[in-house]
Amino acid sequence: MNQTEWIERKLSKDLMEAGMKVNEKEYLSNAFKFSLIAAIFFWLAWNLLFNELFFGIAATALFFLASVLVWIYLPEAKKRKRAALIERDLPFALMQMSVELNVNVPFEKSLERLSKGGYGLVSGELGKAIGEVKEKGASLQEAFIHASERNHSHMFRRALAHLTQVYEQGNRIKGEGLRSLAREELARQRAKSKEFSGKLVTYSLMFIALSAIIPALFQAFIVVGSTFMELTLSPLQVLLIPALVFPLIDLAVLQLIRSKTPEFLKG
């Protein structure tokens, strides 16, 4: 298998696990097309701000390459986010089913209630599995296998495997295994919450420096330095850097902090 085929196969799997209903060839085509359009606008903006032709060509080429790489990585990021959203609601869904199985609610009825219980993507995936059984005549085991294949969450796959075991063995297995999985996931979430709390201090200091201290130093340099130094910055650059560049940096930092925030801590 050559590198191109490997990229296409991985991209196809990532698109499926990210829930993006597009094939890999069409996605790659769109990636190159939109990256080219973005590179053209980058080139125009570069010419507006700077006069270096050679560096402009090099910077535009790097921007185009970076844009394509971002497009290729996007399904990977989306599948991880989707897995995190599933794991956010999974322990509560498992707790509910555990309680219902322990009071002898039929497995199929409990599963259907979960699919309508408002547990986000967990309910959606269980609803798809039930739909496969009712509409396509698949067995519940096959439907669970398909659900495992289209999701990146390891914990969700473990839960489906345990649900399959409960379904096959009937009343001989109660909901204690599901309760244990739910507690394990909640413990993992608590650990991640403590870890993020420690990192948040660093993120906050970085944001303060980039949003307040560095722009203030830049403005001071422009005001004071222009009185006795010959600045290489044009008036347009002096205007656009604090009005456009620094806010974009602030937005990028905020997006970074949000991307590092566990899904179960987001509102």
Side-chain angles (χ1 to χ4, degrees):
M1 182 190 305
N2 58 42
Q3 190 172 5
T4 303
E5 291 176 343
W6 180 84
I7 291 175
E8 288 184 352
R9 288 187 60 179
K10 183 180 185 305
L11 184 59
S12 176
K13 186 174 185 297
D14 289 346
L15 289 169
M16 178 182 66
E17 293 180 348
M20 302 171 69
K21 298 179 180 180
V22 60
N23 66 65
E24 66 277 9
K25 294 186 182 299
E26 181 182 354
Y27 185 84
L28 284 173
S29 175
N30 290 334
F32 281 102
K33 179 173 64 177
F34 289 115
S35 295
L36 181 59
I37 294 173
I40 292 173
F41 281 101
F42 179 86
W43 168 252
L44 294 175
W46 180 278
N47 287 331
L48 182 64
L49 293 173
F50 307 103
N51 295 320
E52 292 86 352
L53 178 62
F54 174 77
F55 288 111
I57 294 173
T60 302
L62 289 175
F63 179 85
F64 173 77
L65 179 60
S67 179
V68 171
L69 292 176
V70 167
W71 272 86
I72 293 176
Y73 175 72
L74 183 61
E76 171 80 17
K78 290 194 71 172
K79 79 174 185 181
R80 293 181 183 277
K81 179 180 176 64
R82 194 167 185 270
L85 288 172
I86 287 176
E87 292 171 358
R88 180 189 65 185
D89 299 315
L90 183 61
F92 306 104
L94 294 179
M95 283 289 190
Q96 176 183 320
M97 194 164 192
S98 171
V99 171
E100 292 182 351
L101 291 177
N102 284 337
V103 296
N104 295 320
V105 174
F107 181 90
E108 293 84 355
K109 183 177 180 180
S110 179
L111 189 67
E112 190 162 356
R113 289 174 65 173
L114 275 188
S115 70
K116 301 175 182 178
Y119 292 108
L121 290 176
V122 176
S123 294
E125 287 297 327
L126 294 179
K128 290 179 183 178
I130 293 173
E132 282 190 43
V133 174
K134 292 183 177 180
E135 298 171 11
K136 300 181 180 180
S139 67
L140 190 60
Q141 293 92 329
E142 291 174 335
F144 281 167
I145 290 173
H146 296 157
S148 296
E149 290 174 346
R150 62 176 175 260
N151 287 282
H152 185 64
S153 170
H154 176 67
M155 183 60 69
F156 185 59
R157 292 173 180 173
R158 285 181 60 191
L160 290 176
H162 193 84
L163 286 174
T164 301
Q165 186 180 12
V166 173
Y167 176 72
E168 291 175 346
Q169 299 190 21
N171 292 334
R172 286 177 293 171
I173 294 183
K174 295 293 186 179
E176 293 306 318
L178 296 177
R179 185 184 296 272
S180 297
L181 282 177
R183 288 174 175 171
E184 179 182 339
E185 178 60 21
L186 288 173
R188 190 180 69 87
Q189 290 182 6
R190 284 195 295 269
K192 289 186 68 175
S193 178
K194 292 180 181 179
E195 181 183 358
F196 176 74
S197 297
K199 293 180 179 179
L200 187 58
V201 176
T202 303
Y203 293 145
S204 300
L205 292 175
M206 179 176 65
F207 179 74
I208 292 171
L210 291 174
S211 63
I213 299 176
I214 294 179
L217 291 175
F218 175 80
Q219 295 282 38
F221 170 75
I222 295 298
V223 173
V224 177
S226 60
T227 60
F228 60 89
M229 295 173 56
E230 183 178 352
L231 298 179
T232 58
L233 298 175
S234 68
L236 180 61
Q237 292 171 349
V238 172
L239 174 65
L240 290 180
I241 289 174
L244 184 62
V245 175
F246 287 137
L248 287 176
I249 293 175
D250 293 342
L251 288 175
V253 174
L254 288 174
Q255 182 60 36
L256 172 65
I257 295 174
R258 180 171 176 78
S259 68
K260 297 295 184 181
T261 305
E263 291 295 331
F264 56 85
L265 292 179
K266 295 180 181 177

